[in-house]
Amino acid sequence: MDIYSILISLLFILNFFFAVIIIFLEQKDATSTWAWLMVLFFIPFLGFILYLIFGQNMSRKRLFDWEDIKKIGIEGLIQEQITSLREQRFHFSDPDSRDYRDLIYMHLVNNDALLTENNKVDIFTDGKEKFDQLIEDIENATDHIHLQYYIIRHDHLGARLLSALTKKAREGIRVRVLYDEMGSRKLSKNFFSSLKKAGGEVEIFFPRRIPLINLRLNYRNHRKIVVIDGKTGYLGGFNVGDEYLGLNPRFGYWRDTHLRMSGQVVKALQTRFILDWNQATHHHYIHYEDRLFPALEAAGDMAAQIVSSGPDSEWEQIKNGYIKMITGAKDSIYIQTPYFIPDQSLMDALRIAALSGKDVRIMIPDKPDHPFVYWATYSHIGELLKAGANVYIYENGFIHAKTIVVDGKVCSVGTANIDVRSFRLNFEVNAFLYHRPTAERMALTFQNDMQYSREMTLDDYRKRSLWIRFKESISHLLSPIL
């Protein structure tokens, strides 16, 4: 045999062993396994390098730990709630919450998501209004500011936020900033030099250990959390950048959804931030202090759970929450998402709901920011149109909201998109809100957005060109690994 034949044979053998690793050692779901085997078949050897970067299984790794968590008392409250729910003696302050006992129990058992009541929420759908309020809250901070975003840009909004944080750090306020390296890859590390000189602390989630190479870049911390003085919390879809103010001509107006919360729910947000921070830092660990978890009075009448998910989890908690909400729907399901690439379980739940006569409405953007993801979204939309779902294409800029509202009684708002990446690969966090007035407001917001959308009918979908059908087919095939 000549050298060329020997190399081909070795490549074939290596590919075979790589395939064995993917199938038997990682134990991925069937669709993801087939997608990676296809990559391995068409791109020998290089495909496995891509797999090492994009396909690692992190579910066996314990990434987040905080030895002081018992001092908060959350573990005891969780066990107490689990027991009282199991024995059906839990007292719900809001009778409507009782209808979602099973959903609440599932989040408690599988995600340690404590149910908090007597909370208050403000909903922001406009970037300028959200960041104006955030800057005001930062300026009024008296003890500490914990800020975490997937994307922070060095532009007008980024500079404005940095200035506000630096000013508070100079005043002696403890300022901590955490950002994701992949999401903020264009951000210079010198960007925060003024904040650090003022005493602020900055950490990067999953930074590269080797120049130009990050073997964990596929696992992104997509969470957006702000906690101020342990009393006010922010959670939602807005990142930090001028495009989120509608200043990028490519996207135009940026339509998103973000929450400002007060009440006991802020303790759950604080805990989530601390877990993420301590994973990222090597020198500035956060230890328990009473001032991080101050006594909080009742702020309103809303019940809420903060639910986290990520590749380190055995279960896809946020996706499971969505499925539980959808399968329990009595009347309507409203979903807004920039990317709609559900796996088979979520797709089946939505299809069955639509076939059962439920009012299923899905709103997606008209403008793609990721072409493959955009066309994969369209391929899944077509399947639901056949089942009787209603689909709306938002045309007043770009819709980035990640929301689901069921029956005008329960809703979820957070960072998770309806796609495989959010459910399995990214670190995400959502608020599940058991509060009829809030859910009704979210449903009304969806209906108002319909005025700026065009409805896609099944007939419209069937008239798409052959070129679009081709792009959809390729994207749909790759959707398990997008």
Side-chain angles (χ1 to χ4, degrees), residues 29 90 122 154 226 249 271 292 356-357 433-434 453 472:
D29 65 283
F90 186 88
D122 297 310
H154 189 174
V226 179
T271 303
L292 296 175
S356 302
L433 311 178
Y434 311 97
S453 308
E472 280 187 21

Side-chain angles (χ1 to χ4, degrees), residues 9 44 58 112 119 130 258 270 322 327 334 340 392 410 479:
S9 299
M58 302 187 70
D112 291 339
N119 301 296
K130 180 257 177 174
H258 218 94
Q270 182 80 290
Y322 287 175
T327 55
Y334 294 175
F340 185 75
Y392 301 90
V410 62
S479 61

Side-chain angles (χ1 to χ4, degrees), residues 91-102:
H91 174 71
F92 290 94
S93 299
D94 181 357
D96 284 337
S97 300
R98 189 179 298 111
D99 295 339
Y100 301 98
R101 181 191 289 110
D102 291 352

Side-chain angles (χ1 to χ4, degrees), residues 9 12 17 132 145 210 213 269 278 415 422:
S9 299
F12 177 81
F17 281 112
D132 283 349
I145 300 166
I210 305 172
I213 299 175
L269 281 177
N278 283 352
T415 67
S422 279

Side-chain angles (χ1 to χ4, degrees), residues 113-159:
L114 184 73
L115 177 70
T116 61
E117 300 183 295
N118 302 317
N119 301 296
K120 180 179 180 293
V121 64
D122 297 310
I123 302 172
F124 293 95
T125 59
D126 177 82
K128 184 178 184 304
E129 293 177 0
K130 180 257 177 174
F131 283 105
D132 283 349
Q133 182 62 61
L134 175 61
I135 297 295
E136 181 180 333
D137 286 337
I138 287 173
E139 290 173 344
N140 292 328
T142 59
D143 187 82
H144 66 271
I145 300 166
H146 291 164
L147 186 144
Q148 173 181 357
Y149 280 97
Y150 172 60
I151 295 174
I152 298 178
R153 299 205 189 281
H154 189 174
D155 54 18
H156 175 74
L157 179 60

Side-chain angles (χ1 to χ4, degrees), residues 244-258:
Y244 300 95
L245 301 179
L247 300 178
N248 187 327
R250 177 187 171 193
F251 296 110
Y253 181 72
W254 192 277
R255 168 65 182 84
D256 219 321
T257 302
H258 218 94

Side-chain angles (χ1 to χ4, degrees), residues 190-439:
N190 295 327
F191 176 74
F192 291 105
S193 58
S194 61
L195 175 60
K196 292 178 179 179
K197 288 178 182 178
E201 299 169 9
V202 180
E203 295 291 350
I204 306 172
F205 191 87
F206 276 3
R208 71 192 71 181
R209 303 301 182 191
I210 305 172
L212 304 178
I213 299 175
N214 190 335
L215 293 178
R216 297 185 294 183
L217 64 84
N218 198 39
Y219 301 101
R220 309 166 190 172
N221 196 320
H222 198 236
R223 296 167 183 151
K224 298 98 178 170
I225 296 173
V226 179
V227 178
I228 299 173
D229 294 338
K231 299 177 181 179
T232 302
Y234 283 82
L235 167 70
F238 284 108
N239 285 294
V240 179
D242 286 350
E243 68 263 42
Y244 300 95
L245 301 179
L247 300 178
N248 187 327
R250 177 187 171 193
F251 296 110
Y253 181 72
W254 192 277
R255 168 65 182 84
D256 219 321
T257 302
H258 218 94
L259 304 179
R260 177 182 185 269
M261 294 180 282
S262 53
Q264 296 296 325
V265 69
V266 179
K267 292 185 177 181
L269 281 177
Q270 182 80 290
T271 303
R272 180 69 267 167
F273 175 87
I274 292 172
L275 287 167
D276 284 11
W277 175 271
N278 283 352
Q279 192 285 326
T281 190
H282 295 287
H283 308 289
H284 304 108
Y285 288 98
I286 298 177
H287 298 285
Y288 176 81
E289 296 179 70
D290 288 338
R291 62 190 182 85
L292 296 175
F293 297 90
L296 300 172
E297 297 181 358
D301 60 350
M302 182 191 73
Q305 285 178 295
I306 300 300
V307 178
S308 305
S309 67
D312 60 319
S313 305
E314 182 178 1
W315 310 109
E316 298 168 19
Q317 290 93 339
I318 294 176
K319 186 197 77 172
N320 290 343
Y322 287 175
I323 292 176
K324 188 69 177 173
M325 291 169 67
I326 292 165
T327 55
K330 300 291 190 297
D331 179 49
S332 61
I333 302 161
Y334 294 175
I335 293 175
Q336 289 180 316
T337 178
Y339 320 120
F340 185 75
I341 312 176
D343 67 2
Q344 197 60 49
S345 60
L346 185 54
M347 195 69 177
D348 286 343
L350 286 168
R351 185 186 295 108
I352 290 170
L355 290 171
S356 302
K358 305 299 186 292
D359 181 12
V360 178
R361 306 184 190 184
I362 300 170
M363 187 174 294
I364 59 174
D366 181 48
K367 301 178 179 181
D369 62 340
H370 301 292
F372 275 111
V373 175
Y374 182 75
W375 293 114
T377 290
Y378 262 65
S379 70
H380 289 86
I381 286 298
E383 294 183 41
L384 286 182
L385 284 170
K386 296 174 187 176
N390 300 295
V391 176
Y392 301 90
I393 312 299
Y394 186 78
E395 296 183 317
N396 186 37
F398 185 77
I399 190 162
H400 191 250
K402 303 105 169 29
T403 66
I404 176 171
V405 187
V406 171
D407 295 337
K409 294 173 62 177
V410 62
C411 62
S412 181
V413 178
T415 67
N417 299 306
I418 307 288
D419 62 13
V420 175
R421 171 163 294 283
S422 279
F423 293 148
R424 297 179 191 165
L425 301 177
N426 285 349
F427 298 92
E428 306 280 4
V429 61
N430 269 45
F432 284 76
L433 311 178
Y434 311 97
H435 191 235
R436 186 189 291 268
T438 300

